[in-house]
Amino acid sequence: MNYRGRFAPSPTGPLHIGSLVSALASWLDARAHAGAWLVRIEDIDGPRTVPGAAEDILSTLERFGMRADEPPVWQSERMARYRDALEQLKADGLVYPCGCTRKEIADSLLNTHARNTTLAYPGTCRGGLHGKPARAWRLRVPDGEAAVITFQDRWQRLQTQNLATEVGDFVLKRADAQWAYQLAVVVDDADAGITHIVRGADLMDSTARQIYLQRCLDLPTPEYLHVPVVTNDHGEKLSKQNGATALDANTPLDALTAAAHHLGLNIGDVKQKTLDDFYATATAAWARRMGMR
């Protein structure tokens, strides 16, 4: 199997150290496997997309020495593929229209489970819309043992999630007509032939849903690796929303060294002099960290 990995940033702002950690991990894993590294711009969520952010991200990656092995892919240019996938699921009877608002779902859960914290969709529209207009499309998840998805994460080890009790039937097309992340990423990864997904641990909760959707669409399941996220002083995931500082493209080695240390890579005490020196040292350290050498 030829290794194919990817980095898939959302253009909601410039890259910061948290996103650099994910980019570096995916880059090093691809290079340690002598595989291909791709970039996908996840601009599927129109309201959150910042004009010019995608171009800034690509430019920053270039300045940091991370060049994709194929031209970047833009989700906004792939709407037809998402429609095809939804139509396939409709034909198989696996999805249904939902007329519930977020408030209605929350109220239903509150009435059913006084201390419910999972906010799993209770299946209100499984049997029909009951006179409500359709707002979204949901994928029907199985009940019982079939709802339990287990996968081996290369960093976080064995993971298990019960889709029925922890998630419920999940949205593939939102009420605002935007395609949901779960559907887009599954279709995109399959079309690109992605064999290994390396990303932040904040996305690990989505993995079981994506694996189930891959099965519904008869698509292969990649191997997964979720690296620890960078947090701020309050223990929150570092993000653009809570004040993450944009990377300084003029000092890439300082940021790359910090990202490597966050990943627990032993790159020595001597500061690398060039990007090529850094990547050679970091790739070898990643291979050792992952038990490849």
Side-chain angles (χ1 to χ4, degrees):
M1 175 179 65
N2 294 325
Y3 181 110
R4 289 174 65 81
R6 50 71 161 178
F7 174 55
S10 298
T12 56
L15 291 181
H16 53 79
I17 185 62
S19 45
L20 180 63
V21 166
S22 295
L24 179 61
S26 63
W27 165 273
L28 294 177
D29 201 51
R31 292 298 175 254
H33 282 89
W37 186 74
L38 285 63
V39 173
R40 180 173 70 235
I41 301 298
E42 297 200 333
D43 58 342
I44 195 74
D45 194 340
R48 294 181 64 240
T49 297
V50 175
E55 292 76 12
D56 182 72
I57 288 170
L58 294 173
S59 175
T60 300
L61 290 173
E62 180 79 14
R63 293 285 296 273
F64 275 64
M66 285 185 267
R67 301 172 184 86
D69 295 310
E70 296 176 11
V73 170
W74 302 69
Q75 282 188 333
S76 57
E77 299 175 356
R78 294 180 44 78
M79 301 298 185
R81 287 292 297 120
Y82 310 143
R83 286 194 294 270
D84 290 345
L86 184 62
E87 290 303 315
Q88 178 182 334
L89 295 168
K90 287 181 183 179
D92 292 338
L94 297 174
V95 296
Y96 61 88
C98 175
C100 298
T101 65
R102 288 186 178 182
K103 184 178 186 305
E104 288 171 335
I105 295 171
D107 289 345
S108 174
L109 291 169
L110 198 61
N111 292 335
T112 306
H113 305 290
R115 295 180 63 86
N116 188 298
T117 58
T118 64
L119 294 184
Y121 179 67
T124 306
C125 294
R126 270 192 173 197
L129 291 169
H130 310 292
K132 295 185 293 187
R135 294 171 49 82
W137 282 90
R138 290 184 180 273
L139 180 68
R140 188 187 305 267
V141 303
D143 298 315
E145 288 298 318
V148 179
I149 304 295
T150 300
F151 66 96
Q152 187 72 31
D153 189 87
R154 293 172 54 213
W155 190 294
Q156 309 286 346
R157 306 308 179 194
L158 189 67
Q159 303 293 317
T160 299
Q161 187 178 64
N162 187 314
L163 292 177
T165 61
E166 298 179 55
V167 178
D169 301 338
F170 56 94
V171 171
L172 299 183
K173 191 174 186 181
R174 297 174 359 196
D176 60 0
Q178 300 286 319
W179 293 103
Y181 167 75
Q182 311 298 349
L183 178 66
V185 73
V186 163
V187 172
D188 290 341
D189 286 334
D191 284 359
I194 299 301
T195 61
H196 293 70
I197 293 175
V198 178
R199 58 190 181 186
D202 56 310
L203 293 172
M204 190 161 60
D205 184 65
S206 295
T207 306
R209 277 171 280 179
Q210 291 167 17
I211 291 173
Y212 178 65
L213 185 51
Q214 289 157 3
R215 294 173 183 175
C216 291
L217 291 168
D218 195 26
L219 299 175
T221 294
E223 292 191 37
Y224 288 93
L225 187 158
H226 292 86
V227 297
V229 298
V230 179
T231 58
N232 61 19
D233 293 339
H234 302 289
E236 304 165 326
K237 176 204 168 188
L238 192 65
S239 69
K240 305 174 186 81
Q241 288 71 38
N242 61 23
T245 304
L247 294 172
D248 184 352
N250 295 314
T251 57
L253 283 172
D254 291 344
L256 286 167
T257 299
H261 287 157
H262 179 80
L263 292 167
L265 301 183
N266 182 7
I267 59 174
D269 296 328
V270 178
K271 187 174 182 179
Q272 309 302 312
K273 295 181 179 179
T274 68
L275 288 174
D276 286 343
D277 289 340
F278 169 82
Y279 284 120
T281 301
T283 301
W286 178 271
R288 291 193 300 271
R289 173 78 171 74
M290 302 309 299
M292 298 168 60
R293 295 179 185 172

